[in-house]
Amino acid sequence: MVADDADEVEVCAADDLWEGDMQSFDVGEHEVLLINIEGRVHAWHGVCPHQSVALVEGSLVGKVLTCRAHLWQFDVCTGRGINPAAACLKEFPVRVVDGKVRVGLQPVRGEAVVVTACSGRSEP
């Protein structure tokens, strides 16, 4: 990980994150899960909001991420809960610059908790 900007850090080469692949990185004070879906990199808080289990230990099938502990499921393109629907993941800003994946040090949206509805997705 290369820290060269006050707001974001370089975490890996884009070529190291294959289609349908997920990897976890420590970014500042957060564990961030990167997922490559259809050529787009998504960055989510890397722990399940249910009981803080590392999501990288779960399974990714298509666009559905399932936590290994209690089988909570999330849509990795939106961060919205599938089971339970009232859950959502904390999103981090992410971009690819010169073949390198860069992740923001602070989440785009607030706490990843069970809520009545997830807020709309913010585009970086």
Side-chain angles (χ1 to χ4, degrees):
M1 182 168 63
V2 178
D4 59 339
D5 188 296
D7 298 325
E8 62 182 24
V9 293
E10 178 184 306
V11 294
C12 67
D15 290 344
D16 292 340
L17 189 63
W18 296 6
E19 174 72 32
D21 191 16
M22 62 179 177
Q23 295 182 32
S24 183
F25 297 90
D26 289 326
V27 176
E29 298 177 5
H30 306 280
E31 181 177 341
V32 175
L33 183 68
L34 296 182
I35 303 172
N36 181 347
I37 297 294
E38 299 175 352
R40 180 163 181 213
V41 178
H42 301 269
W44 303 106
H45 190 228
V47 296
C48 183
H50 181 216
Q51 292 189 342
S52 299
V53 173
L55 289 171
V56 74
E57 297 173 5
S59 64
L60 179 63
V61 178
K63 297 177 183 177
V64 177
L65 173 62
T66 303
C67 178
R68 70 161 175 81
H70 297 103
L71 306 180
W72 279 33
Q73 294 181 311
F74 303 91
D75 178 319
V76 296
C77 293
T78 66
R80 292 177 187 257
I82 296 170
N83 180 28
C88 62
L89 297 175
K90 206 177 344 178
E91 179 183 16
F92 282 78
V94 61
R95 61 191 185 121
V96 177
V97 178
D98 297 327
K100 305 292 184 185
V101 179
R102 301 181 61 81
V103 176
L105 295 173
Q106 297 300 319
V108 172
R109 63 177 168 209
E111 294 301 309
V113 295
V114 178
V115 295
T116 56
C118 293
S119 63
R121 184 177 161 74
S122 300
E123 291 297 328

